[in-house]
Amino acid sequence: IHAENNRFTLQVGMRERELLFETLKLYPLIPVTYPRFSQTAKGEPDENQRLLEEALAEQRKENREAMLAMFNEPGRFRKTEHGFQFTLTAADLERLLQVFNDIRVGSWIALGSPEEDEEPEMSEQNAGYFLAMEVCGHVETVLLAATGEQGPYPTGKA
């Protein structure tokens, strides 16, 4: 609802806040072995792949700790007549974008990596991934719009 000096004030409804928190619990969702750096002739990960996986695991650990600290910070969410307001720094916003993108892409992978014009096979087991993917796409669009950037969906598709 307000952006000034690399500080972004956002508002969410009560249900939106709960959905936001539930979605964040999925992080990290992309399998650590998903980004393949290279393979040896025997198909075993080489040293570069191991280093990549270690770096990703460390980054995810830092992101999780930062998210927990941020959302557990007293006074972070201020109750309003219409839900909750909260303020993010540019660094907070960037980290949130990384986390939501991980959940969104991880959900897409869990749904079988469907093509853009292809509907994923839906079941009781994977319906949550479809919801998470949609929620993350919407949140990313809102966060990017706060910075003046376009989100993951073209205008009018979110």
Side-chain angles (χ1 to χ4, degrees), residues 81-139:
E81 182 181 335
H82 302 289
F84 297 90
Q85 279 188 7
F86 62 104
T87 301
L88 301 172
T89 64
D92 293 338
L93 191 135
E94 174 64 30
R95 191 176 302 268
L96 265 179
L97 283 168
Q98 288 176 20
V99 168
F100 277 110
N101 195 60
D102 179 284
I103 298 167
R104 184 167 158 257
V105 172
S107 295
W108 173 77
I109 292 167
L111 289 167
S113 308
E115 296 294 325
E116 188 173 334
D117 59 346
E118 178 185 359
E119 290 292 321
E121 290 263 339
M122 296 301 292
S123 67
E124 275 188 47
Q125 291 76 28
N126 72 5
Y129 293 121
F130 184 77
L131 176 61
M133 188 171 68
E134 293 299 311
V135 166
C136 290
H138 177 72
V139 171

Side-chain angles (χ1 to χ4, degrees), residues 139-154:
V139 171
E140 288 177 282
T141 299
V142 170
L143 293 176
L144 288 170
T147 68
E149 298 293 326
Q150 185 175 349
Y153 298 117

Side-chain angles (χ1 to χ4, degrees), residues 1 9-12 75-80 83-87:
I1 60 173
T9 303
L10 303 161
Q11 178 152 336
V12 293
R76 171 65 74 163
F77 286 87
R78 293 175 309 282
K79 183 102 171 81
T80 68
F84 297 90
Q85 279 188 7
F86 62 104
T87 301

